[in-house]
Every structure is written in structure tokens, then in C-alpha cells.
Amino acid sequence: MSDPVKAVRTQEFALGLRLDVYPAPARSCGTVVHLHGGGFVAGDRTMHRERMQALAGHGITVVAPDYRLAPAARFPDQVEDVRAALGWVRGHLDELGAGTDAVGLWGASAGAVLAALVGLSGPADVQAVVSWFGFSDIAACYSRSPREQALLPPTSPAHALLGVDDLTAVPDLVREASPVSHVHAAAPPFLIAHGDRDRMVDIGESRRLHEELTRAGARSTLMVLGGAGHEDPAFDEQATIAVTAAFLRSHLQTATKQGDGS
């Protein structure tokens, strides 16, 4: 059983934006920045506090920042906020008691999109990315036939992120905000997790990102949770957190050793 995690510490990292720190109970093998979901219009850094505490209990310092929400903010404001949080982490590693200079990104749903975008489009300088049930290709995920347009809600998280009513009117922006557009061979290792019963974001979005990463020569692991839906309780089960922690520990420790020249 993991040791208990110390109390959360809150810190301002940018004007009007705060982050929470969940220190590992002993010497940390690295730091991961956790990005919340909420369709880019809702949520904050306090979502899934038990999830973050559970991961910290595996020896990884977790930092959970806020980011600006739509409709007041639109892409790439959220990406800039994540990069600002990463910059704060980089400047406070000793203070965080992180033990190493390796940093990863971990996001769920909308947060997974931001984690992938920042991890793939530099200069992020992250050593690992965990993406849970996020979309990867806006054009594919939110394309609608005339019949679907009549039956389905007229807006989506992608509409909120980009601040537009018609995605087809901004193809360049759609590509720029789609993680698959930024895949390259030197991408950090990815752990991509998705439930095969997800009715909000099809599992094909995670499969597409995984396939594009491996085709490019980057390292990617796809974990399918059978019977799980979007933001399913299965993602918070001990086994899922343990796999996530093992992935992060492996790549954060490896990156540190390489950086130390050992």
C-alpha cells in the first residue's frame, strides 16, 4: 500500500491562475503535470483530487494547474497556460522536492488534448505524456452528416476550444488544434488509455493517435479498458493508477539517467 500523501499546497503560477502540488511521500522520481477535463468550458485543478493523491502515493510529484476556460478563452490560450505551468515547475523543482528534473504531462478528456498538444509541439521539454480518452483529430471526431447535424447538439468541446460555430470554416485552425497534426519521431513516449464503451469520444481517436505515433517511429502504448465509458470509475481503480504510475516512473527515471550522462 502507498504511503499517505502530504497536504496539498496551492501556488499562483500566472496572473489569475493557480496550481496545487501533491508531493510524493518520499523522494520523488519526477514530476507530472495533471490537466483536468471539462470540455474546455468547465472544471478546475481540484477535480479528481483522490486520483492525483493516488498517483503521488506511487512516488511521483503531481502538479495540477488551472487553465483559462471557454468562452472567455480560446485556443491557443489553454496551451499557453499549460506551458506557463510547466515553466513554473521547471523553475521550482528543488522547492517541490521532485528529486529529478524529469517532467511528464497527464490529462483526461479535454486535459488529454492539451497534454498531447503541448507534448508534441515544442518547446515543451517533457519526458512522457499520459493521454486519457481525449480526441486527437478534430475534423474526424466532429464531422457531421446533414442528418447528424439535425439530430446531434450543434456544439462540441472542439467548437468551444476554437471559439467557432462552424469547424469547416477554419480548416487551418482545426489542424493546428488536433494532436495528430503534430506527431513526429522525436515525440516523448505516450501512454494512451481509452474505454471501449466511450460514447462521448470514440476510442478511434486514441487508436488514431497511437497509430500515428508508432508509424512516425515514436514510442506509444495503447491501453483499452474493456466495458469502460468516458471518465469511467475504472480509470481510478488501483490497477489503472498503478499502470499509469509504472509508465511514468519508467520514463521519468530513464530520462533523468540519460540527462545525467549515466
Side-chain angles (χ1 to χ4, degrees), residues 77-239:
D77 291 347
Q78 299 87 348
V79 170
E80 293 171 356
D81 294 343
V82 176
R83 287 181 175 147
L86 279 171
W88 186 92
V89 169
R90 289 284 181 198
H92 295 80
L93 289 172
D94 289 341
E95 184 181 337
L96 289 171
T100 73
D101 60 0
V103 179
L105 287 167
W106 174 30
S109 196
V113 178
L114 296 178
L117 284 170
V118 174
L120 290 169
S121 56
D125 188 27
V126 296
Q127 283 65 56
V129 177
V130 176
S131 171
W132 282 5
F133 46 87
F135 66 72
S136 64
D137 185 342
I138 292 174
C141 188
Y142 295 108
S143 62
R144 298 284 188 263
S145 71
R147 182 62 172 165
E148 288 170 333
Q149 290 175 2
L151 295 175
L152 296 174
T155 60
S156 71
H159 289 87
L161 175 65
L162 301 183
V164 298
D165 294 326
D166 182 4
L167 295 175
T168 63
V170 288
D172 291 341
L173 194 60
V174 163
R175 282 192 296 272
E176 185 66 19
S178 296
V180 293
S181 301
H182 303 281
V183 168
H184 55 94
F190 269 67
L191 172 63
I192 304 169
H194 215 115
D196 65 359
R197 298 293 180 90
D198 195 324
R199 299 294 185 261
M200 294 183 67
V201 178
D202 189 81
I203 191 173
E205 289 296 299
S206 284
R207 286 181 171 141
R208 170 80 186 280
L209 179 59
H210 169 70
E211 290 167 0
E212 292 295 333
L213 285 163
T214 54
R215 186 177 295 116
R219 300 180 64 179
S220 177
T221 300
L222 177 62
M223 179 169 63
V224 178
L225 275 66
H230 197 79
E231 194 58 87
D232 196 275
F235 285 90
D236 288 311
E237 291 178 355
Q238 289 185 6

